[in-house]
């Protein structure tokens, strides 16, 4: 993304101001230019890679992989490959910063929506034709409108997706939500039929299934059939086929008719994905696995009034997850747990957690009332030189031992989620794939449910 800044003495090539000044700069491939000939006077533009705008803790979690495309080329006129829904569904758009993306997005909003578009910087009139819907003002009248009618585009990094609020977002993630189709189809000249997807190796099984289910629904918008790339996740294809159901790989898929999505995180961060369910249901389970889960749930939960609680810790804490994915602590959850027990008379708590410290704290509070699956658990203190459970598992084991332990942990994870779905009520420490899976399995039969959001700023 190019930022629009004032003139400087920095040695740089010169470009002529015009409608395609940013695309010309991207094509030439340099990071800094002087621009001449604008009606408001000369200015400079400075390039910053999109992923450098992302906070370090998010980038570290991705192990150097780009979270957002760089968009070194794009086409405002290729409307078939734009998702304009986020712009069309809001009446007022406020841009705090003047940069390449805020200018492009403002143009699109004025061309294809009825929204009023606000900027602070009068120089925008050198990039966008005057309009009665283009408003330049020092103070944005944000309080004059309902929150669900506006997009406040700020100059700090806010993804929209991670905060579960696309009404408060920065320009780069907003641009990505509008242009992501163009990145996916870039260079494809034939008729696209398929989307081959992979899931980053750090994602657990709940994430693999949820990302895949959401991808199927997102790509169906284009009429594409989704299938999983061979060896596409941290789980072996043999294990996935043993316990779950995935579409078979089409025999006629090739580079002319298939897009290749190496990391579904990029797609999941879009506004379109936020509106499309990532839920899976029990149909994703193999027949044998489903029967085993039913038998176990009946044996453990029958004749008891059980409150299901999922508390994530370990790598969520070690990697400093924030926003919707920041987890509540046991102590933050205790008042509600006690309230529900008193009101609903639960005689058991089924606790699902990968964190040994959390299990011990809950047993300290509730004693033998807490039941949990016997499984390998970790402590936050185990994460001295790694941030993710997947990294810790590989550090501790390798080869056949690692594969066996991974399968065992995966099966235990699904036993835990399945039992949670069979409990009378359910609460979770924060947004995680387990929340999605448990609710989908339950089919809205819980007496009550609650997701803590201690990292979300509730205005």
């Amino acid at each position: 993304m190019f930022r629009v800044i004032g003139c400087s003495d920095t040695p740089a090539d010169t470009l002529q101001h015009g409608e395609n000044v940013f695309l010309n700069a991207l094509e030439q491939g340099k990071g800094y230019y002087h621009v001449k000939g604008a009606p408001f006077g000369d200015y400079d533009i400075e390039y910053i890679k999109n992923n450098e705008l992302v906070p370090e803790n998010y980038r570290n979690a991705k192990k150097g992989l780009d979270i957002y495309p760089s968009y070194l080329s794009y086409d405002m006129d290729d409307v078939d490959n734009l998702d304009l829904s986020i712009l069309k569904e809001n009446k007022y758009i406020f841009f705090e910063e003047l940069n390449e993306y805020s200018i492009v997005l403002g143009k699109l909003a004025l061309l294809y929506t009825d929204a009023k578009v606000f900027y602070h910087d009068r120089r925008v009139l050198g990039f966008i034709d005057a309009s009665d819907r283009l408003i330049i003002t020092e103070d944005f009248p944000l309080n004059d409108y309902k929150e669900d009618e506006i997009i406040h585009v700020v100059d700090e990094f806010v993804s929209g997706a991670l905060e579960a609020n696309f009404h408060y977002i920065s320009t780069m993630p907003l641009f990505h939500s509008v242009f992501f189709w163009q990145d996916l189809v870039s260079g494809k000249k034939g008729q696209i039929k398929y989307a081959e997807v992979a899931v980053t190796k750090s994602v657990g099984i709940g994430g693999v299934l949820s990302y895949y289910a959401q991808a199927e629904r997102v790509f169906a918008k284009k009429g594409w059939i989704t299938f999983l790339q061979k060896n596409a996740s941290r789980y072996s294809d043999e294990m996935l086929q043993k316990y779950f159901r995935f579409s078979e790989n089409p025999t006629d898929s090739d580079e002319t008719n298939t897009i290749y999505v190496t990391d579904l995180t990029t797609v999941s961060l879009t506004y379109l994905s936020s509106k499309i369910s990532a839920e899976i249901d029990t149909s994703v389970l193999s027949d044998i696995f489903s029967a085993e889960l039913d038998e176990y749930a009946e044996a453990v939960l029958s004749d008891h009034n059980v409150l299901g609680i999922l508390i994530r810790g370990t790598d969520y804490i070690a990697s400093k997850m924030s926003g919707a994915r920041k987890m509540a602590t046991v102590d933050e959850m205790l008042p509600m747990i006690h309230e529900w027990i008193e009101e609903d008379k639960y005689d058991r708590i089924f606790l699902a957690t990968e964190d040994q410290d959390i299990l011990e704290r809950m047993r300290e509070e509730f004693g033998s009332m807490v039941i949990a699956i016997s499984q390998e658990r970790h402590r936050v203190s185990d994460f001295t030189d790694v941030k993710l459970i997947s990294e810790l598992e590989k550090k501790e084991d390798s080869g056949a031992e690692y594969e066996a332990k991974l399968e065992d942990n995966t099966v235990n994870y699904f036993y835990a989620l399945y039992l949670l779905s069979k409990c009378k009520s359910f609460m979770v420490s924060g947004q995680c794939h387990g929340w999605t899976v448990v609710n989908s399995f339950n089919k809205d039969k819980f007496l009550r449910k609650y997701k803590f959001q201690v990292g979300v700023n509730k205005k």
Side-chain angles (χ1 to χ4, degrees):
M1 179 182 74
F2 276 102
R3 287 172 166 163
V4 178
I5 59 178
C7 294
S8 76
D9 296 329
T10 302
D13 288 355
T14 299
L15 295 175
Q16 190 66 25
H17 177 77
E19 184 177 356
N20 295 318
V21 63
F22 298 115
L23 290 173
N24 292 339
L26 289 170
E27 186 176 358
Q28 293 190 30
K30 295 184 179 179
Y32 198 99
Y33 295 92
H34 302 301
V35 183
K36 305 289 187 182
F40 53 80
D42 298 340
Y43 61 97
D44 291 356
I45 57 175
E46 180 180 34
Y47 179 78
I48 181 169
K49 187 176 180 182
N50 286 341
N51 281 279
E52 292 176 0
L53 297 167
V54 179
E56 185 177 4
N57 60 314
Y58 292 128
R59 285 186 277 130
N60 289 343
K62 295 297 292 181
K63 288 296 182 182
L65 296 175
D66 283 353
I67 300 173
Y68 293 93
S70 292
Y71 292 105
L72 299 180
S73 66
Y74 53 87
D75 185 354
M76 285 180 57
D77 296 322
D78 183 15
V79 181
D80 289 342
N81 286 313
L82 296 177
D83 179 24
L84 297 170
S85 58
I86 188 170
L87 303 181
K88 290 180 177 180
E89 292 170 13
N90 290 276
K91 296 181 180 179
Y92 311 95
I93 306 173
F94 301 90
F95 291 103
E96 294 279 359
E97 189 177 12
L98 186 68
N99 58 46
E100 174 191 1
Y101 290 173
S102 67
I103 292 166
V104 170
L105 292 166
K107 285 182 179 180
L108 290 172
L110 292 168
L111 279 171
Y112 298 111
T113 81
D114 296 324
K116 290 185 177 180
V117 181
F118 295 76
Y119 293 88
H120 287 313
D121 197 324
R122 295 196 63 81
R123 292 180 298 174
V124 71
L125 293 172
F127 297 90
I128 303 177
D129 292 338
S131 164
D132 58 0
R133 293 190 290 115
L134 175 59
I135 300 165
I136 316 299
T137 177
E138 184 175 336
D139 297 313
F140 287 159
L142 295 168
N143 295 329
D144 292 350
Y145 309 113
K146 297 178 181 177
E147 185 178 355
D148 61 0
E149 295 179 336
I150 72 173
I151 308 175
H152 185 188
V153 191
V154 296
D155 58 3
E156 59 183 319
F157 178 79
V158 184
S159 73
L162 296 173
E163 299 79 12
N165 180 8
F166 279 85
H167 295 286
Y168 188 83
I169 190 172
S170 49
T171 46
M172 185 269 290
L174 179 58
F175 185 93
H176 174 60
S177 277
V178 174
F179 280 88
F180 80 99
W181 287 123
Q182 290 191 15
D183 176 69
L184 291 174
V185 303
S186 178
K188 299 292 181 182
K189 297 180 181 179
Q191 180 65 39
I192 297 174
K193 296 167 58 177
Y194 305 114
E196 180 186 278
V197 302
V199 181
T200 183
K201 301 290 185 179
S202 63
V203 172
I205 188 61
V208 171
L209 297 170
S210 295
Y211 277 132
Y212 181 81
Q214 188 178 56
E216 279 192 309
R217 294 161 189 155
V218 168
F219 297 140
K221 296 285 185 181
K222 288 286 192 181
W224 303 341
I225 296 170
T226 301
F227 63 95
L228 197 63
Q229 181 189 82
K230 290 183 179 180
N231 303 312
S233 71
R234 61 195 278 207
Y235 306 94
S236 70
D237 292 348
E238 292 75 20
M239 194 201 83
L240 291 176
Q241 293 299 331
K242 180 179 179 181
Y243 295 104
F244 310 105
R245 302 172 197 244
F246 288 93
S247 299
E248 294 185 3
N249 294 17
T251 57
D252 64 332
S253 169
D254 59 33
E255 291 185 356
T256 67
N257 61 19
T258 305
I259 65 161
Y260 301 97
V261 186
T262 57
D263 184 0
L264 283 169
T265 305
T266 299
V267 177
S268 72
L269 289 172
T270 63
Y271 178 66
L272 177 61
S273 292
S274 77
K275 299 189 298 179
I276 293 179
S277 172
E279 289 187 359
I280 60 173
D281 57 32
T282 53
S283 66
V284 76
L285 306 172
S286 69
D287 291 339
I288 294 175
F289 192 33
S290 182
E292 291 172 349
L293 291 170
D294 274 331
E295 183 179 354
Y296 187 76
E298 176 64 24
V300 173
L301 301 180
S302 63
D303 301 324
H304 290 290
N305 188 23
V306 185
L307 169 60
I309 302 177
L310 171 58
I311 309 179
R312 298 301 308 271
T314 61
D315 56 352
Y316 274 78
I317 299 172
S319 59
K320 296 183 171 63
M321 290 282 189
S322 60
R325 292 187 178 274
K326 181 179 180 180
M327 296 293 134
T329 65
V330 172
D331 287 344
E332 287 171 324
M333 297 174 69
L334 281 178
M336 182 173 289
I337 296 173
H338 281 293
E339 178 184 329
W340 285 17
I341 290 173
E342 182 178 349
E343 293 179 355
D344 299 339
K345 310 304 179 187
Y346 298 109
D347 63 335
R348 292 286 188 277
I349 293 173
F350 177 73
L351 174 66
T353 185
E354 83 291 358
D355 192 306
Q356 184 65 27
D357 293 324
I358 288 173
L359 176 60
E360 291 174 3
R361 178 71 183 90
M362 285 290 287
R363 283 186 168 156
E364 176 186 323
E365 186 77 18
F366 297 103
S368 61
M369 187 178 180
V370 175
I371 55 176
I373 288 175
S374 177
Q375 66 179 80
E376 181 182 31
R377 291 185 169 87
H378 303 286
R379 302 179 190 273
V380 174
S381 57
D382 296 335
F383 293 76
T384 55
D385 55 354
V386 295
K387 296 294 185 184
L388 304 174
I389 286 181
S390 58
E391 297 169 344
L392 185 62
E393 290 171 342
K394 286 186 177 180
K395 177 184 174 184
E396 294 175 338
D397 298 285
S398 61
E401 289 183 357
Y402 169 75
E403 293 296 334
K405 184 178 287 188
L406 181 60
E407 180 170 345
D408 187 55
N409 290 342
T410 300
V411 171
N412 283 334
Y413 175 73
F414 259 84
Y415 269 89
L417 295 184
Y418 197 77
L419 262 66
L420 286 170
S421 76
K422 297 296 183 181
C423 292
K424 182 71 72 174
S425 294
F426 174 49
M427 70 172 68
V428 67
S429 53
Q431 177 58 44
C432 59
H433 292 296
W435 167 260
T436 305
V437 173
V438 170
N439 278 291
S440 179
F441 281 4
N442 179 262
K443 298 187 183 299
D444 204 28
K445 295 178 183 176
F446 287 124
L447 174 65
R448 50 176 155 180
K449 60 185 179 182
Y450 186 81
K451 176 175 65 177
F452 284 82
Q453 294 181 289
V454 295
V456 176
N457 182 20
K458 297 178 181 179
K459 295 181 179 180

